[in-house]
Amino acid sequence: MPGLFRPYPSPLFSRCGIDLDFPLLAGCLALLGLGLVMITSASSEVAAVQSGNPLYHMIRHLIYVAIGLGACGLTLMIPLSFWQNMGGKLLLAAFGLLVLVLVPGIGREVNGSMRWIGFGMFNVQPSELAKVFAVIFLAGYLVRRQEEVRESWMGFFKPFIVLLPMAGLLLMEPDFGATVVMMGAAAAMLFLGGVGLFRFGLMVALAVGAVVLLVKAQPYRMARLTTFTDPWADQFGSGYQLTQALIAFGRGEWFGVGLGNSIQKQFYLPEAHTDFVFSVLAEELGLIGSLATVALFVFVTVRSLYIGLWAEKAGQFFSAYVAYGLAFLWIGQFLINIGVNVGLLPTKGLTLPFLSYGGSSLVICCVCLGLLLRIEWERRTLLGSEEIEFSEEDFAEDHPPLRELSR
């Protein structure tokens, strides 16, 4: 299989060998490794009772990691021009999947939400794909209509003709967290794409108003909003999950109780290996381990933003907007998940990128990593620059210009 891609420019088959942005790769691999360790620890008790094998979730997560790394490698071989040309089709595919997941018999209901499409032993979460496809489509739109976006109201509002129906489908699942993350990333991309401050401020005001209406429209959302401000008022009811998470943070103190020694994971804290894995991490590794993990997240996201900035300076605007969008998807999920775990935000089911248990989220995070690494490589080799044109002869392995670009 790799031989099929070898004649084409790729950071995996350059004259320098594997030519990747190793700081970003190392940061993400560190998060993947930490996630595997914490999921093994956080899920052992639940897995032992449910399946008889304490390593059941660890083995499945290891399979997801292998699939994710394979998807990352495949993404590295695909030029950014392919994604730019396929933006509209990918968006249609996202809409199709979001509709299918709502169809009874196709979509799988878990904990009252229709968010998954089942394929045998594995579930696919369309919202994870939809967020990335929305970023790719919006990046292409910003390149095609850059002046219109900056100068006119119509160019500013056109993307929302597409994004708002997608947000509506996400809310029907319901997946409020994914909706907030996707729309937040879209808003950040528009701002970095040159939207004026007045129009951006108006968009933020409308978004805040919409969030308030959505919260008031559903009683369970209002209950979560009122509960998180004082979870101890109903610590055995609606505030149970948050109080148990806060107990985990309190038990961790400075250096933690030790890896594998968490008490809260023993059926006190629900979803300990998925949405609340950071609470178990805080209990076992303490404040120092928690801050080190947050520092890793900050490094990865800041590095991703810098990759976008470097691509923009090189005139590769589609790549730059994709990098910005992916970085803000990660930032949104980091902030919401950790905010929920520490009680700064209402309880919301949203995975922590690279760390939480969940196949779709992990694989898509690895695909995003592959896209960012490809963007950084194309920026260094000038492969995606508008000023440089390539012919089929340039893709030959022994062609001199390609050797120069790959150095």
Side-chain angles (χ1 to χ4, degrees):
M1 184 70 175
L4 295 176
F5 294 94
R6 198 173 180 84
Y8 300 95
S10 166
L12 295 180
F13 303 112
S14 72
R15 286 288 179 177
C16 302
I18 298 177
D19 186 15
L20 299 172
D21 182 54
F22 283 102
L24 177 63
L25 180 62
C28 291
L29 289 178
L31 288 173
L32 277 174
L34 180 62
L36 180 62
V37 171
M38 292 314 306
I39 285 165
T40 303
S41 174
S43 66
S44 58
E45 301 293 335
V46 174
V49 171
Q50 293 180 348
S51 68
N53 180 6
L55 299 180
Y56 173 78
H57 291 299
M58 184 273 284
I59 294 170
R60 285 179 63 90
H61 189 74
L62 198 56
I63 294 172
Y64 294 143
V65 170
I67 294 172
L69 292 177
C72 177
L74 182 61
T75 306
L76 281 168
M77 301 179 195
I78 301 174
L80 268 299
S81 58
F82 169 83
W83 301 104
Q84 186 171 5
N85 295 332
M86 292 291 291
K89 295 178 181 178
L90 293 175
L91 191 73
L92 289 175
F95 271 107
L97 290 171
L98 291 176
V99 171
L100 280 177
V101 78
L102 298 174
V103 177
I106 298 179
R108 285 187 177 179
E109 184 175 349
V110 180
N111 295 330
S113 298
M114 296 278 287
R115 300 180 186 176
W116 294 268
I117 297 176
F119 292 94
M121 295 179 61
F122 300 97
N123 293 327
V124 175
Q125 192 170 358
S127 60
E128 296 292 337
L129 286 168
K131 289 184 293 186
V132 177
F133 290 170
V135 165
I136 292 172
F137 170 79
L138 186 55
Y141 174 82
L142 288 172
V143 171
R144 294 191 306 271
R145 304 296 181 92
Q146 192 171 54
E147 291 301 320
E148 188 178 358
V149 169
R150 293 179 177 180
E151 303 295 336
S152 72
W153 284 92
M154 185 56 65
F156 170 67
F157 281 117
K158 278 181 180 178
F160 293 101
I161 298 174
V162 174
L163 294 176
L164 288 177
M166 182 175 287
L169 289 171
L170 288 171
L171 291 173
M172 289 173 68
E173 295 183 2
D175 196 344
F176 187 66
T179 306
V180 171
V181 169
M182 183 188 73
M183 297 303 288
M189 290 174 69
L190 286 168
F191 181 71
L192 293 173
V195 170
L197 190 60
F198 174 73
R199 281 177 286 168
F200 181 76
L202 178 62
M203 177 179 61
V204 171
L206 291 174
V208 171
V211 169
V212 172
L213 290 175
L214 289 171
V215 168
K216 290 184 176 180
Q218 294 291 339
Y220 78 92
R221 290 184 186 137
M222 182 58 71
R224 286 181 176 180
L225 186 62
T226 55
T227 298
F228 100 97
T229 58
D230 186 14
W232 303 101
D234 189 16
Q235 59 178 307
F236 297 109
S238 58
Y240 178 77
Q241 197 168 26
L242 179 54
T243 56
Q244 296 303 313
L246 294 175
I247 290 171
F249 278 94
R251 292 193 73 252
E253 298 185 349
W254 284 96
F255 298 102
V257 298
L259 189 63
N261 294 328
S262 168
I263 298 297
Q264 293 306 105
K265 70 181 181 183
Q266 299 179 12
F267 304 99
Y268 291 101
L269 177 60
E271 309 295 337
H273 61 296
T274 56
D275 300 336
F276 282 84
V277 68
F278 190 75
S279 298
V280 178
L281 184 150
E283 183 181 3
E284 295 188 350
L285 304 183
L287 178 64
I288 303 302
S290 302
L291 291 179
T293 304
V294 171
L296 260 179
F297 286 142
V298 171
F299 171 77
V300 165
T301 53
V302 171
R303 185 75 179 182
S304 302
L305 290 172
Y306 266 105
I307 287 174
L309 178 62
W310 296 331
E312 187 173 3
K313 288 183 176 179
Q316 301 173 356
F317 295 106
F318 173 76
S319 298
Y321 295 139
V322 170
Y324 291 145
L326 297 179
F328 279 106
L329 286 181
W330 285 355
I331 290 170
Q333 288 189 231
F334 290 154
L335 292 178
I336 291 176
N337 184 279
I338 294 177
V340 166
N341 274 254
V342 300
L344 293 176
L345 294 172
T347 302
K348 187 74 209 77
L350 200 65
T351 57
L352 189 59
F354 295 107
L355 257 74
S356 294
Y357 177 82
S360 296
S361 175
L362 185 64
V363 172
I364 293 302
C365 282
C366 291
V367 169
C368 293
L369 171 61
L371 281 169
L372 288 165
L373 292 173
R374 178 80 194 194
I375 289 168
E376 193 276 337
W377 180 78
E378 287 198 7
R379 188 272 308 175
R380 278 190 291 112
T381 60
L382 302 179
L383 190 63
S385 296
E386 296 178 356
E387 295 84 1
I388 298 178
E389 295 183 0
F390 290 88
S391 65
E392 293 183 3
E393 295 178 354
D394 295 316
F395 296 131
E397 190 172 349
D398 58 348
H399 193 269
L402 184 58
R403 290 203 301 268
E404 294 299 322
L405 290 175
S406 300
R407 285 178 181 173

